[in-house]
Amino acid sequence: MAGIYIHIPFCKQRCRYCAFYSSTLYNIREAYVDALCKELLMRKEYIAGEPVGTIYLGGGTPSTLTMEQLKRICDTIYNNYPVTDAPEVTIECNPDDLTPEFLEQLRSLPFNRISMGIQSFNDAQLKRLGRRHTAEAARQAVANARASGYNNISIDLMFALPGSSRAEWQETLDTAIALQPEHLSAYNLMYEEGTPLYRNLTEGKVTELSEEENLEQFSMLINSMKAAGYRHYEISNFALPDRESRHNSSYWNDTPYIGCGASAHSYNGTSRQWNIADIKEYIKGVENGTLNFEVEHLTEEERYNDAILTRLRTADGLPLAWMREKFSDRVNTYMLHAAKKEIALGNLKEMNGHLSLTEKGIFISDAVIRELIYV
């Protein structure tokens, strides 16, 4: 089983991550969709005819495209790839794009899962993050999606936001849980250089929360989601029974996937490759019949490190039989020796043939994973 990821690097906000402002430059979006469809045709053999079980349109914001453009992308995939009978087909959307009219049109396309970046249900925090929607608009977006028949909804939240209190974070969690999304992802806020938030941090306009407060909000997240019946199946991800993200799980489970679009990454089991990030250069290359990309052929040690970095983040952890099948005795011996110390410290456990993080280890997962990385 393989996956397809389509990268749509457009949004309606004037941020440095979007080379073009999609609200005004229809022509560049049209040229980009042309290039995407051509790339999909050019690279059909990359996943060697594997059945496609997941399709994910992310970004950016795919909901800034027209329905006709979205239809062309879907048609190209379905007409040229062996899509399974019951695939998971996800589209990322801004909450304020999810109007009843938009959703009614979207229902005519194969999408059966909606992922929306809500980030917070606190209006002051949303404004500080530069988000266009309000908390009420986010709640209404979920209601609209439900009314349109979508029964697989994922929402993204952020914790440890500048100036946020535990009470505010708990209110956001309670609001999210009350909406009963099938899936929730929550990420620790990162201050990325070049963003307005990073600039505000360096200028002293906002203050980063302490490590202690970060861990406390992470603990609140875990406890609240578990109490509401969600499975903590990956460090940042929670799902109701059988509603784990099949597409994201493919990244963690060594499943091949093809990524199309500017800066999109692909993986076929032995190598990684990624397209050029510049949108104009990406389009120009595809129009000329040549893809601009870089490729990295993975050594055994690099493949092992990838397995540690991804699978140890999941609740299932590392299947030891799979590790013995995939890697040499030398690498497995290295792993077990490094793991022995973390098991003794109570950060890792070996159970039912799997090596996984303990509840204690989850809170220091980066440090535990570093101990097992092959240097």
Side-chain angles (χ1 to χ4, degrees):
M1 198 77 73
I4 295 177
Y5 173 77
I6 303 294
H7 187 224
I8 311 293
F10 300 100
C11 77
K12 294 179 179 177
Q13 301 185 101
R14 292 179 175 268
C15 61
R16 76 183 186 92
Y17 298 105
C18 300
F20 306 96
Y21 307 137
S22 63
S23 59
T24 58
L25 291 180
Y26 172 83
N27 288 341
I28 196 68
R29 286 185 293 156
E30 185 69 9
Y32 186 78
V33 172
D34 284 343
L36 265 177
C37 293
K38 289 176 183 176
E39 184 188 0
L40 282 162
L41 294 175
M42 292 166 65
R43 299 184 62 201
K44 286 195 297 184
E45 302 307 316
Y46 184 82
I47 52 179
E50 283 282 323
V52 173
T54 66
I55 302 167
Y56 195 106
L57 268 68
T61 313
S63 54
T64 60
L65 298 183
T66 66
M67 285 297 156
E68 178 57 34
Q69 289 167 340
L70 291 171
K71 183 177 186 301
R72 285 174 54 204
I73 294 170
C74 292
D75 286 348
T76 302
I77 293 172
Y78 274 77
N79 292 337
N80 294 281
Y81 286 81
V83 180
T84 60
D85 290 337
E88 176 192 87
V89 188
T90 304
I91 183 169
E92 289 185 357
C93 298
N94 281 330
D96 48 344
D97 286 333
L98 292 174
T99 63
E101 295 76 19
F102 175 88
L103 287 159
E104 182 181 356
Q105 295 178 68
L106 195 66
R107 290 295 294 172
S108 67
L109 300 178
F111 300 106
N112 53 31
R113 185 174 184 270
I114 291 178
S115 177
M116 58 183 85
I118 290 175
Q119 315 313 349
S120 174
F121 285 100
N122 180 287
D123 284 335
Q125 294 292 350
L126 288 170
K127 186 175 181 180
R128 194 171 291 129
L129 289 170
R131 303 294 295 182
R132 292 185 295 117
H133 65 270
T134 63
E136 176 55 33
R139 287 190 288 267
Q140 188 60 52
V142 176
N144 289 344
R146 290 285 185 225
S148 296
Y150 285 95
N151 63 1
N152 199 355
I153 296 172
S154 178
I155 67 175
D156 288 358
L157 299 178
M158 285 185 177
F159 62 92
L161 298 177
S164 65
S165 67
R166 296 178 188 180
E168 288 171 334
W169 175 230
Q170 188 63 58
E171 183 180 359
T172 280
L173 288 172
D174 291 343
T175 302
I177 290 168
L179 294 172
Q180 296 184 304
E182 283 70 26
H183 188 277
L184 184 142
S185 300
Y187 303 99
N188 192 332
L189 175 67
M190 303 297 290
Y191 293 86
E192 298 185 30
E193 191 171 348
T195 63
L197 194 59
Y198 180 85
R199 192 160 55 248
N200 288 340
L201 179 68
T202 58
E203 294 173 357
K205 295 178 181 178
V206 299
T207 303
E208 190 171 5
L209 294 191
S210 67
E211 182 65 23
E212 178 185 358
E213 187 62 23
N214 268 263
L215 290 174
E216 179 58 33
Q217 291 196 18
F218 184 45
S219 179
M220 292 167 64
L221 165 70
I222 294 172
N223 293 336
S224 295
M225 297 308 295
K226 285 185 175 179
Y230 288 79
R231 179 176 180 242
H232 189 192
Y233 75 102
E234 195 270 348
I235 287 176
S236 301
N237 289 274
F238 303 80
L240 292 176
D242 300 320
R243 291 308 183 102
E244 294 84 357
S245 168
R246 287 162 50 191
H247 185 83
N248 288 349
S249 295
S250 70
Y251 297 150
W252 308 319
N253 295 331
D254 203 48
T255 302
Y257 59 90
I258 179 173
C260 293
S263 76
H265 285 60
S266 304
Y267 171 72
N268 64 2
T270 59
S271 68
R272 285 189 294 258
Q273 73 177 60
W274 53 97
N275 290 342
I276 189 171
D278 185 277
I279 296 176
K280 285 185 175 178
E281 289 301 314
Y282 165 76
I283 294 171
K284 182 179 177 181
V286 176
E287 286 177 345
N288 293 332
T290 57
L291 285 171
N292 292 317
F293 66 90
E294 294 184 56
V295 63
E296 178 183 16
H297 296 284
L298 303 174
T299 65
E300 181 184 34
E301 291 79 9
E302 288 168 333
R303 290 188 295 107
Y304 162 81
N305 286 344
D306 281 351
I308 296 297
L309 286 165
T310 54
R311 292 210 170 200
L312 262 189
R313 290 180 58 88
T314 67
D316 293 335
L318 283 163
L320 298 178
W322 180 85
M323 292 295 291
R324 288 191 294 270
E325 177 187 330
K326 290 286 185 178
F327 301 104
S328 66
D329 289 343
R330 173 179 60 87
V331 169
N332 275 282
T333 299
Y334 178 91
M335 175 192 68
L336 293 173
H337 177 76
K340 186 175 181 180
K341 171 188 171 184
E342 297 302 318
I343 291 173
L345 291 171
N347 299 326
L348 285 177
K349 61 184 177 183
E350 184 180 342
M351 185 178 297
N352 299 324
H354 287 69
L355 187 67
S356 59
L357 293 165
T358 62
E359 289 188 16
K360 173 187 173 185
I362 287 173
F363 288 90
I364 53 170
S365 58
D366 288 346
V368 177
I369 287 171
R370 278 197 299 270
E371 289 296 318
L372 272 69
I373 289 294
Y374 194 103
V375 180

mmCIF file of all heavy atoms in Angstrom, residues 88 112-116 142 145-146 149-155 176-177 179-185 225 228-231 233 237-245:
data_model
loop_
_atom_site.group_PDB
_atom_site.id
_atom_site.type_symbol
_atom_site.label_atom_id
_atom_site.label_comp_id
_atom_site.label_asym_id
_atom_site.label_seq_id
_atom_site.Cartn_x
_atom_site.Cartn_y
_atom_site.Cartn_z
ATOM 1 N N GLU A 88 -8.410 6.573 2.109
ATOM 2 C CA GLU A 88 -8.573 7.755 2.952
ATOM 3 C C GLU A 88 -8.109 8.943 2.116
ATOM 4 O O GLU A 88 -6.962 9.000 1.699
ATOM 5 C CB GLU A 88 -7.732 7.634 4.222
ATOM 6 C CG GLU A 88 -7.768 8.875 5.111
ATOM 7 C CD GLU A 88 -6.707 8.825 6.188
ATOM 8 O OE1 GLU A 88 -5.555 9.250 5.916
ATOM 9 O OE2 GLU A 88 -7.016 8.351 7.295
ATOM 10 N N ASN A 112 -12.999 12.369 1.769
ATOM 11 C CA ASN A 112 -13.818 11.807 2.838
ATOM 12 C C ASN A 112 -13.283 12.144 4.223
ATOM 13 O O ASN A 112 -13.776 11.642 5.235
ATOM 14 C CB ASN A 112 -13.969 10.291 2.675
ATOM 15 C CG ASN A 112 -12.626 9.583 2.539
ATOM 16 O OD1 ASN A 112 -11.612 10.020 3.092
ATOM 17 N ND2 ASN A 112 -12.619 8.487 1.779
ATOM 18 N N ARG A 113 -12.259 12.997 4.262
ATOM 19 C CA ARG A 113 -11.671 13.404 5.544
ATOM 20 C C ARG A 113 -11.233 14.863 5.425
ATOM 21 O O ARG A 113 -10.601 15.246 4.437
ATOM 22 C CB ARG A 113 -10.478 12.515 5.886
ATOM 23 C CG ARG A 113 -9.844 12.771 7.255
ATOM 24 C CD ARG A 113 -8.769 11.723 7.553
ATOM 25 N NE ARG A 113 -8.198 11.879 8.877
ATOM 26 C CZ ARG A 113 -7.130 12.638 9.138
ATOM 27 N NH1 ARG A 113 -6.527 13.291 8.148
ATOM 28 N NH2 ARG A 113 -6.655 12.737 10.372
ATOM 29 N N ILE A 114 -11.574 15.657 6.436
ATOM 30 C CA ILE A 114 -11.214 17.075 6.449
ATOM 31 C C ILE A 114 -10.301 17.345 7.635
ATOM 32 O O ILE A 114 -10.575 16.918 8.761
ATOM 33 C CB ILE A 114 -12.467 17.965 6.540
ATOM 34 C CG1 ILE A 114 -13.257 17.886 5.236
ATOM 35 C CG2 ILE A 114 -12.087 19.412 6.828
ATOM 36 C CD1 ILE A 114 -14.530 18.703 5.258
ATOM 37 N N SER A 115 -9.202 18.026 7.366
ATOM 38 C CA SER A 115 -8.281 18.439 8.419
ATOM 39 C C SER A 115 -8.252 19.961 8.456
ATOM 40 O O SER A 115 -8.013 20.602 7.431
ATOM 41 C CB SER A 115 -6.878 17.889 8.152
ATOM 42 O OG SER A 115 -5.963 18.342 9.138
ATOM 43 N N MET A 116 -8.537 20.535 9.604
ATOM 44 C CA MET A 116 -8.550 22.001 9.688
ATOM 45 C C MET A 116 -7.617 22.499 10.781
ATOM 46 O O MET A 116 -7.564 21.945 11.886
ATOM 47 C CB MET A 116 -9.976 22.522 9.881
ATOM 48 C CG MET A 116 -10.709 22.019 11.089
ATOM 49 S SD MET A 116 -12.431 22.642 11.163
ATOM 50 C CE MET A 116 -13.283 21.440 10.136
ATOM 51 N N VAL A 142 -16.717 23.253 11.991
ATOM 52 C CA VAL A 142 -16.936 21.844 12.333
ATOM 53 C C VAL A 142 -18.412 21.491 12.168
ATOM 54 O O VAL A 142 -18.756 20.442 11.605
ATOM 55 C CB VAL A 142 -16.453 21.548 13.767
ATOM 56 C CG1 VAL A 142 -16.779 20.104 14.144
ATOM 57 C CG2 VAL A 142 -14.952 21.802 13.890
ATOM 58 N N ALA A 145 -19.231 21.154 8.499
ATOM 59 C CA ALA A 145 -18.723 19.902 7.939
ATOM 60 C C ALA A 145 -19.597 18.726 8.350
ATOM 61 O O ALA A 145 -19.893 17.843 7.537
ATOM 62 C CB ALA A 145 -17.273 19.681 8.381
ATOM 63 N N ARG A 146 -20.052 18.720 9.595
ATOM 64 C CA ARG A 146 -20.955 17.659 10.056
ATOM 65 C C ARG A 146 -22.264 17.683 9.266
ATOM 66 O O ARG A 146 -22.755 16.654 8.807
ATOM 67 C CB ARG A 146 -21.241 17.844 11.537
ATOM 68 C CG ARG A 146 -20.079 17.566 12.456
ATOM 69 C CD ARG A 146 -19.829 16.097 12.597
ATOM 70 N NE ARG A 146 -18.781 15.846 13.582
ATOM 71 C CZ ARG A 146 -17.785 15.014 13.421
ATOM 72 N NH1 ARG A 146 -17.681 14.318 12.278
ATOM 73 N NH2 ARG A 146 -16.888 14.811 14.346
ATOM 74 N N GLY A 149 -22.234 16.070 5.995
ATOM 75 C CA GLY A 149 -22.080 14.624 5.937
ATOM 76 C C GLY A 149 -20.689 14.095 6.200
ATOM 77 O O GLY A 149 -20.454 12.887 6.094
ATOM 78 N N TYR A 150 -19.765 14.958 6.574
ATOM 79 C CA TYR A 150 -18.407 14.483 6.864
ATOM 80 C C TYR A 150 -18.348 13.879 8.260
ATOM 81 O O TYR A 150 -18.689 14.530 9.244
ATOM 82 C CB TYR A 150 -17.394 15.625 6.725
ATOM 83 C CG TYR A 150 -17.111 15.971 5.276
ATOM 84 C CD1 TYR A 150 -17.796 16.993 4.644
ATOM 85 C CD2 TYR A 150 -16.190 15.231 4.547
ATOM 86 C CE1 TYR A 150 -17.557 17.290 3.311
ATOM 87 C CE2 TYR A 150 -15.945 15.518 3.212
ATOM 88 C CZ TYR A 150 -16.634 16.543 2.599
ATOM 89 O OH TYR A 150 -16.394 16.824 1.269
ATOM 90 N N ASN A 151 -17.900 12.645 8.331
ATOM 91 C CA ASN A 151 -17.819 11.961 9.619
ATOM 92 C C ASN A 151 -16.390 11.548 9.963
ATOM 93 O O ASN A 151 -16.161 10.640 10.749
ATOM 94 C CB ASN A 151 -18.729 10.730 9.643
ATOM 95 C CG ASN A 151 -18.311 9.689 8.625
ATOM 96 O OD1 ASN A 151 -17.329 9.863 7.894
ATOM 97 N ND2 ASN A 151 -19.051 8.596 8.560
ATOM 98 N N ASN A 152 -15.422 12.231 9.328
ATOM 99 C CA ASN A 152 -14.015 12.008 9.660
ATOM 100 C C ASN A 152 -13.316 13.362 9.615
ATOM 101 O O ASN A 152 -12.854 13.811 8.566
ATOM 102 C CB ASN A 152 -13.370 11.024 8.682
ATOM 103 C CG ASN A 152 -12.092 10.424 9.244
ATOM 104 O OD1 ASN A 152 -11.631 10.810 10.315
ATOM 105 N ND2 ASN A 152 -11.508 9.483 8.520
ATOM 106 N N ILE A 153 -13.285 14.024 10.769
ATOM 107 C CA ILE A 153 -12.771 15.384 10.879
ATOM 108 C C ILE A 153 -11.584 15.395 11.829
ATOM 109 O O ILE A 153 -11.629 14.813 12.914
ATOM 110 C CB ILE A 153 -13.858 16.340 11.389
ATOM 111 C CG1 ILE A 153 -15.009 16.424 10.374
ATOM 112 C CG2 ILE A 153 -13.282 17.724 11.677
ATOM 113 C CD1 ILE A 153 -16.207 17.204 10.879
ATOM 114 N N SER A 154 -10.520 16.055 11.404
ATOM 115 C CA SER A 154 -9.337 16.225 12.239
ATOM 116 C C SER A 154 -9.115 17.704 12.471
ATOM 117 O O SER A 154 -9.281 18.519 11.560
ATOM 118 C CB SER A 154 -8.108 15.615 11.559
ATOM 119 O OG SER A 154 -6.941 15.812 12.346
ATOM 120 N N ILE A 155 -8.765 18.075 13.691
ATOM 121 C CA ILE A 155 -8.421 19.465 13.969
ATOM 122 C C ILE A 155 -7.021 19.543 14.559
ATOM 123 O O ILE A 155 -6.578 18.641 15.274
ATOM 124 C CB ILE A 155 -9.449 20.150 14.890
ATOM 125 C CG1 ILE A 155 -9.436 19.540 16.297
ATOM 126 C CG2 ILE A 155 -10.842 20.081 14.298
ATOM 127 C CD1 ILE A 155 -10.361 20.280 17.253
ATOM 128 N N ALA A 176 -12.629 21.772 22.102
ATOM 129 C CA ALA A 176 -12.309 20.816 21.035
ATOM 130 C C ALA A 176 -12.983 19.477 21.285
ATOM 131 O O ALA A 176 -13.598 18.890 20.369
ATOM 132 C CB ALA A 176 -10.794 20.639 20.933
ATOM 133 N N ILE A 177 -12.901 18.983 22.495
ATOM 134 C CA ILE A 177 -13.480 17.683 22.825
ATOM 135 C C ILE A 177 -15.003 17.714 22.665
ATOM 136 O O ILE A 177 -15.619 16.746 22.198
ATOM 137 C CB ILE A 177 -13.071 17.274 24.249
ATOM 138 C CG1 ILE A 177 -11.567 16.940 24.280
ATOM 139 C CG2 ILE A 177 -13.897 16.093 24.746
ATOM 140 C CD1 ILE A 177 -10.989 16.806 25.676
ATOM 141 N N LEU A 179 -16.657 19.212 20.521
ATOM 142 C CA LEU A 179 -16.980 19.116 19.094
ATOM 143 C C LEU A 179 -16.845 17.681 18.576
ATOM 144 O O LEU A 179 -17.265 17.387 17.462
ATOM 145 C CB LEU A 179 -16.073 20.053 18.287
ATOM 146 C CG LEU A 179 -16.281 21.549 18.546
ATOM 147 C CD1 LEU A 179 -15.194 22.359 17.849
ATOM 148 C CD2 LEU A 179 -17.657 21.987 18.073
ATOM 149 N N GLN A 180 -16.223 16.810 19.360
ATOM 150 C CA GLN A 180 -16.072 15.389 19.053
ATOM 151 C C GLN A 180 -15.430 15.121 17.681
ATOM 152 O O GLN A 180 -15.972 14.340 16.881
ATOM 153 C CB GLN A 180 -17.424 14.672 19.151
ATOM 154 C CG GLN A 180 -18.007 14.690 20.556
ATOM 155 C CD GLN A 180 -19.297 13.906 20.654
ATOM 156 O OE1 GLN A 180 -20.259 14.153 19.930
ATOM 157 N NE2 GLN A 180 -19.310 12.915 21.537
ATOM 158 N N PRO A 181 -14.302 15.745 17.394
ATOM 159 C CA PRO A 181 -13.607 15.390 16.148
ATOM 160 C C PRO A 181 -13.094 13.957 16.247
ATOM 161 O O PRO A 181 -12.767 13.481 17.341
ATOM 162 C CB PRO A 181 -12.447 16.394 16.096
ATOM 163 C CG PRO A 181 -12.149 16.679 17.541
ATOM 164 C CD PRO A 181 -13.504 16.676 18.213
ATOM 165 N N GLU A 182 -13.053 13.290 15.130
ATOM 166 C CA GLU A 182 -12.541 11.911 15.142
ATOM 167 C C GLU A 182 -11.048 11.870 15.425
ATOM 168 O O GLU A 182 -10.517 10.868 15.914
ATOM 169 C CB GLU A 182 -12.825 11.243 13.796
ATOM 170 C CG GLU A 182 -14.258 10.792 13.601
ATOM 171 C CD GLU A 182 -15.223 11.947 13.430
ATOM 172 O OE1 GLU A 182 -14.800 13.048 12.976
ATOM 173 O OE2 GLU A 182 -16.417 11.760 13.742
ATOM 174 N N HIS A 183 -10.370 12.977 15.141
ATOM 175 C CA HIS A 183 -8.909 13.010 15.257
ATOM 176 C C HIS A 183 -8.475 14.390 15.707
ATOM 177 O O HIS A 183 -9.091 15.394 15.348
ATOM 178 C CB HIS A 183 -8.285 12.672 13.894
ATOM 179 C CG HIS A 183 -6.803 12.496 13.904
ATOM 180 N ND1 HIS A 183 -5.920 13.552 13.826
ATOM 181 C CD2 HIS A 183 -6.042 11.373 13.972
ATOM 182 C CE1 HIS A 183 -4.675 13.084 13.834
ATOM 183 N NE2 HIS A 183 -4.724 11.775 13.934
ATOM 184 N N LEU A 184 -7.434 14.440 16.533
ATOM 185 C CA LEU A 184 -6.882 15.716 16.967
ATOM 186 C C LEU A 184 -5.363 15.636 17.008
ATOM 187 O O LEU A 184 -4.796 14.676 17.529
ATOM 188 C CB LEU A 184 -7.422 16.096 18.345
ATOM 189 C CG LEU A 184 -6.999 17.468 18.889
ATOM 190 C CD1 LEU A 184 -8.162 18.127 19.637
ATOM 191 C CD2 LEU A 184 -5.777 17.375 19.813
ATOM 192 N N SER A 185 -4.722 16.644 16.423
ATOM 193 C CA SER A 185 -3.272 16.781 16.497
ATOM 194 C C SER A 185 -2.964 18.037 17.303
ATOM 195 O O SER A 185 -3.630 19.061 17.123
ATOM 196 C CB SER A 185 -2.652 16.914 15.102
ATOM 197 O OG SER A 185 -2.927 15.787 14.305
ATOM 198 N N MET A 225 -7.451 14.226 26.685
ATOM 199 C CA MET A 225 -7.821 13.429 25.520
ATOM 200 C C MET A 225 -8.096 11.980 25.921
ATOM 201 O O MET A 225 -9.044 11.351 25.433
ATOM 202 C CB MET A 225 -6.721 13.499 24.463
ATOM 203 C CG MET A 225 -6.480 14.894 23.893
ATOM 204 S SD MET A 225 -7.977 15.722 23.292
ATOM 205 C CE MET A 225 -8.425 14.646 21.932
ATOM 206 N N ALA A 228 -11.404 11.588 27.505
ATOM 207 C CA ALA A 228 -12.506 11.721 26.552
ATOM 208 C C ALA A 228 -12.601 10.532 25.603
ATOM 209 O O ALA A 228 -13.440 10.530 24.697
ATOM 210 C CB ALA A 228 -12.344 13.008 25.753
ATOM 211 N N GLY A 229 -11.750 9.521 25.792
ATOM 212 C CA GLY A 229 -11.849 8.307 24.994
ATOM 213 C C GLY A 229 -10.979 8.278 23.747
ATOM 214 O O GLY A 229 -11.141 7.410 22.885
ATOM 215 N N TYR A 230 -10.028 9.204 23.666
ATOM 216 C CA TYR A 230 -9.124 9.227 22.518
ATOM 217 C C TYR A 230 -7.865 8.417 22.811
ATOM 218 O O TYR A 230 -7.349 8.432 23.934
ATOM 219 C CB TYR A 230 -8.717 10.666 22.177
ATOM 220 C CG TYR A 230 -9.833 11.481 21.558
ATOM 221 C CD1 TYR A 230 -10.840 12.034 22.356
ATOM 222 C CD2 TYR A 230 -9.884 11.709 20.188
ATOM 223 C CE1 TYR A 230 -11.866 12.778 21.799
ATOM 224 C CE2 TYR A 230 -10.904 12.454 19.622
ATOM 225 C CZ TYR A 230 -11.892 12.989 20.439
ATOM 226 O OH TYR A 230 -12.905 13.724 19.878
ATOM 227 N N ARG A 231 -7.390 7.728 21.798
ATOM 228 C CA ARG A 231 -6.145 6.960 21.932
ATOM 229 C C ARG A 231 -4.970 7.851 21.570
ATOM 230 O O ARG A 231 -4.955 8.481 20.508
ATOM 231 C CB ARG A 231 -6.167 5.738 21.014
ATOM 232 C CG ARG A 231 -4.883 4.903 21.092
ATOM 233 C CD ARG A 231 -4.978 3.650 20.254
ATOM 234 N NE ARG A 231 -3.750 2.868 20.335
ATOM 235 C CZ ARG A 231 -2.955 2.595 19.307
ATOM 236 N NH1 ARG A 231 -3.266 3.033 18.091
ATOM 237 N NH2 ARG A 231 -1.861 1.875 19.464
ATOM 238 N N TYR A 233 -2.037 7.769 20.042
ATOM 239 C CA TYR A 233 -1.351 6.778 19.224
ATOM 240 C C TYR A 233 -0.020 7.246 18.657
ATOM 241 O O TYR A 233 0.757 6.454 18.126
ATOM 242 C CB TYR A 233 -2.265 6.292 18.099
ATOM 243 C CG TYR A 233 -2.461 7.243 16.940
ATOM 244 C CD1 TYR A 233 -1.782 7.054 15.738
ATOM 245 C CD2 TYR A 233 -3.339 8.317 17.033
ATOM 246 C CE1 TYR A 233 -1.969 7.907 14.668
ATOM 247 C CE2 TYR A 233 -3.540 9.166 15.966
ATOM 248 C CZ TYR A 233 -2.853 8.964 14.790
ATOM 249 O OH TYR A 233 -3.045 9.813 13.723
ATOM 250 N N ASN A 237 -0.531 13.073 18.356
ATOM 251 C CA ASN A 237 -1.789 12.725 17.697
ATOM 252 C C ASN A 237 -2.683 11.838 18.556
ATOM 253 O O ASN A 237 -2.206 10.887 19.196
ATOM 254 C CB ASN A 237 -1.488 12.023 16.373
ATOM 255 C CG ASN A 237 -0.927 12.988 15.344
ATOM 256 O OD1 ASN A 237 -1.669 13.652 14.625
ATOM 257 N ND2 ASN A 237 0.406 13.085 15.272
ATOM 258 N N PHE A 238 -3.983 12.128 18.494
ATOM 259 C CA PHE A 238 -4.991 11.417 19.269
ATOM 260 C C PHE A 238 -6.154 11.072 18.344
ATOM 261 O O PHE A 238 -6.519 11.866 17.468
ATOM 262 C CB PHE A 238 -5.493 12.292 20.414
ATOM 263 C CG PHE A 238 -4.417 12.771 21.342
ATOM 264 C CD1 PHE A 238 -3.619 13.862 21.003
ATOM 265 C CD2 PHE A 238 -4.193 12.132 22.551
ATOM 266 C CE1 PHE A 238 -2.621 14.311 21.856
ATOM 267 C CE2 PHE A 238 -3.188 12.567 23.411
ATOM 268 C CZ PHE A 238 -2.403 13.659 23.062
ATOM 269 N N ALA A 239 -6.748 9.917 18.548
ATOM 270 C CA ALA A 239 -7.854 9.506 17.674
ATOM 271 C C ALA A 239 -8.868 8.678 18.436
ATOM 272 O O ALA A 239 -8.525 7.952 19.378
ATOM 273 C CB ALA A 239 -7.316 8.704 16.490
ATOM 274 N N LEU A 240 -10.126 8.802 18.020
ATOM 275 C CA LEU A 240 -11.139 7.877 18.491
ATOM 276 C C LEU A 240 -10.842 6.498 17.898
ATOM 277 O O LEU A 240 -10.062 6.385 16.946
ATOM 278 C CB LEU A 240 -12.522 8.369 18.057
ATOM 279 C CG LEU A 240 -13.009 9.662 18.738
ATOM 280 C CD1 LEU A 240 -14.345 10.095 18.156
ATOM 281 C CD2 LEU A 240 -13.112 9.481 20.254
ATOM 282 N N PRO A 241 -11.430 5.435 18.435
ATOM 283 C CA PRO A 241 -11.124 4.082 17.950
ATOM 284 C C PRO A 241 -11.246 3.963 16.438
ATOM 285 O O PRO A 241 -12.236 4.377 15.834
ATOM 286 C CB PRO A 241 -12.155 3.212 18.681
ATOM 287 C CG PRO A 241 -12.425 3.955 19.948
ATOM 288 C CD PRO A 241 -12.367 5.414 19.589
ATOM 289 N N ASP A 242 -10.199 3.431 15.826
ATOM 290 C CA ASP A 242 -10.136 3.167 14.378
ATOM 291 C C ASP A 242 -10.172 4.436 13.532
ATOM 292 O O ASP A 242 -10.462 4.372 12.333
ATOM 293 C CB ASP A 242 -11.276 2.231 13.941
ATOM 294 C CG ASP A 242 -11.223 0.889 14.642
ATOM 295 O OD1 ASP A 242 -10.112 0.364 14.817
ATOM 296 O OD2 ASP A 242 -12.294 0.395 15.049
ATOM 297 N N ARG A 243 -9.864 5.585 14.106
ATOM 298 C CA ARG A 243 -9.858 6.821 13.335
ATOM 299 C C ARG A 243 -8.464 7.463 13.272
ATOM 300 O O ARG A 243 -8.340 8.663 13.015
ATOM 301 C CB ARG A 243 -10.869 7.812 13.912
ATOM 302 C CG ARG A 243 -12.324 7.384 13.707
ATOM 303 C CD ARG A 243 -12.603 7.046 12.248
ATOM 304 N NE ARG A 243 -13.993 6.700 12.011
ATOM 305 C CZ ARG A 243 -14.880 7.532 11.478
ATOM 306 N NH1 ARG A 243 -14.528 8.736 11.106
ATOM 307 N NH2 ARG A 243 -16.129 7.132 11.306
ATOM 308 N N GLU A 244 -7.436 6.670 13.483
ATOM 309 C CA GLU A 244 -6.084 7.175 13.307
ATOM 310 C C GLU A 244 -5.889 7.651 11.863
ATOM 311 O O GLU A 244 -6.527 7.146 10.941
ATOM 312 C CB GLU A 244 -5.046 6.097 13.625
ATOM 313 C CG GLU A 244 -4.987 5.656 15.071
ATOM 314 C CD GLU A 244 -6.003 4.581 15.426
ATOM 315 O OE1 GLU A 244 -6.811 4.220 14.522
ATOM 316 O OE2 GLU A 244 -6.003 4.096 16.568
ATOM 317 N N SER A 245 -5.025 8.625 11.679
ATOM 318 C CA SER A 245 -4.737 9.097 10.327
ATOM 319 C C SER A 245 -3.957 8.024 9.580
ATOM 320 O O SER A 245 -2.802 7.735 9.902
ATOM 321 C CB SER A 245 -3.899 10.384 10.374
ATOM 322 O OG SER A 245 -3.396 10.693 9.089
#
